[in-house]
């Protein structure tokens, strides 16, 4: 009898433990964070504000990341107003697997439970978009603060660190950055991201 009660207590303990783990696993929306992103080890940069894009934008984009000859695709919805920015990434079956809200210089992020180790951080996805789409003037002060710079020619940008090394090359197929494919080559670590805008509305 005592053995049965002991086993029953163990089962109750396991159920309680699993329930608590399930609840904590579902709570994947983080607390608001500052608008800083790590762009190199121990190097943080402040993101421009949504308003610094200069216009309101709603866009559907397809991001393809290539690393070690392996491709990964992420359909993304982006909405920007002068007050706020919302970004959401979806699986091939249409479920939201990551998202980010940016307002009042604070970021709130979400990653579907169980996918944290296989998905890019939402903040990094946002950085890649902003470094390609936001005007050069929006990046000037944040990058100067850490000794970095962003240079631009007709259809290319280069992200340069405080030692003068080119960290990333960004190439545009079209002078209108929302048309054609944007290719983002990060030399450290070595990976390539392409951003293709499928549909957009700009105001």
């Amino acid at each position: 009898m005592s053995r049965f009660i002991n086993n029953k207590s163990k089962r109750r303990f396991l159920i309680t433990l699993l329930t608590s783990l399930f609840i904590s696993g579902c709570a994947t929306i983080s607390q608001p964070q500052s608008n800083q992103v790590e762009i190199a080890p121990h190097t943080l940069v402040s993101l421009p504000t949504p308003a610094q894009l200069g216009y309101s934008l709603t866009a559907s984009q397809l991001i393809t990341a290539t690393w070690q000859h392996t491709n990964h695709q992420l359909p993304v919805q982006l909405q920007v107003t002068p007050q706020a920015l919302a970004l959401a990434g979806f699986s091939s079956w249409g479920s939201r697997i990551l998202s980010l809200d940016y307002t009042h210089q604070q970021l709130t992020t979400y990653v579907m439970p169980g996918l944290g180790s296989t998905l890019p951080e939402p903040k990094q996805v946002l950085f890649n978009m902003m470094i390609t789409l936001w005007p050069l003037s929006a990046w000037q002060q944040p990058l100067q603060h850490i000794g970095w710079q962003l240079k631009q020619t007709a259809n290319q940008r280069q992200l340069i660190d405080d030692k003068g090394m080119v960290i990333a090359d960004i190439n545009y197929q079209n002078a209108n950055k929302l048309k054609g494919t944007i290719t983002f080559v990060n030399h450290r670590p070595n990976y390539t991201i392409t951003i293709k805008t499928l549909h957009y509305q700009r105001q």
Side-chain angles (χ1 to χ4, degrees):
M1 181 71 175
S2 61
R3 184 178 177 183
F4 174 76
I5 294 173
N6 191 36
N7 287 338
K8 189 175 181 180
S9 299
K10 285 181 179 178
R11 286 197 297 271
R12 188 181 297 116
F13 171 76
L14 287 172
I15 291 170
T16 303
L17 177 62
L18 290 171
T19 301
S20 65
L21 287 173
F22 178 77
I23 292 171
S24 64
C26 289
T28 54
I29 297 179
S30 67
Q31 294 299 316
Q33 314 160 41
S34 71
N35 63 332
Q36 289 191 318
V37 175
E38 187 174 69
I39 59 172
H42 313 296
T43 304
L44 296 173
V45 65
S46 296
L47 295 173
T49 65
Q52 286 179 286
L53 178 61
Y55 51 87
S56 294
L57 174 67
T58 301
S60 299
Q61 297 181 313
L62 181 64
I63 298 177
T64 303
T66 303
W67 183 68
Q68 292 186 346
H69 308 292
T70 303
N71 291 337
H72 302 278
Q73 289 191 328
L74 181 68
V76 169
Q77 293 286 334
L78 176 66
Q79 185 171 28
V80 186
T81 68
Q83 294 76 33
L85 178 152
L87 179 151
F90 297 87
S91 67
S92 57
W93 59 91
S95 297
R96 179 175 64 107
I97 56 177
L98 64 83
S99 62
L100 178 147
D101 293 305
Y102 179 18
T103 182
H104 303 304
Q105 296 187 331
Q106 294 290 322
L107 299 175
T108 303
T109 60
Y110 163 89
V111 176
M112 180 179 282
L115 297 180
S117 61
T118 60
L119 291 175
E121 289 187 20
K123 289 170 70 170
Q124 292 296 332
V125 177
L126 178 61
F127 169 75
N128 292 336
M129 286 188 170
M130 295 185 82
I131 200 73
T132 58
L133 293 179
W134 266 242
L136 219 61
S137 57
W139 281 105
Q140 187 174 4
Q141 184 175 353
L143 290 173
Q144 280 184 348
H145 186 70
I146 60 172
W148 288 43
Q149 55 183 316
L150 188 63
K151 290 186 174 180
Q152 180 170 308
T153 57
N155 288 323
Q156 185 187 59
R157 286 183 174 181
Q158 286 189 319
L159 182 62
I160 301 169
D161 69 8
D162 55 343
K163 298 178 179 62
M165 299 290 294
V166 177
I167 300 301
D169 285 301
I170 304 166
N171 297 291
Y172 303 92
Q173 273 191 335
N174 196 294
N176 179 350
K177 298 178 178 60
L178 294 169
K179 293 183 178 180
T181 300
I182 301 172
T183 304
F184 182 112
V185 181
N186 192 315
H187 302 295
R188 199 175 57 189
N190 185 22
Y191 66 84
T192 300
I193 293 173
T194 59
I195 303 174
K196 185 174 183 179
T197 300
L198 306 175
H199 308 283
Y200 74 93
Q201 288 183 334
R202 172 176 171 170
Q203 296 179 342

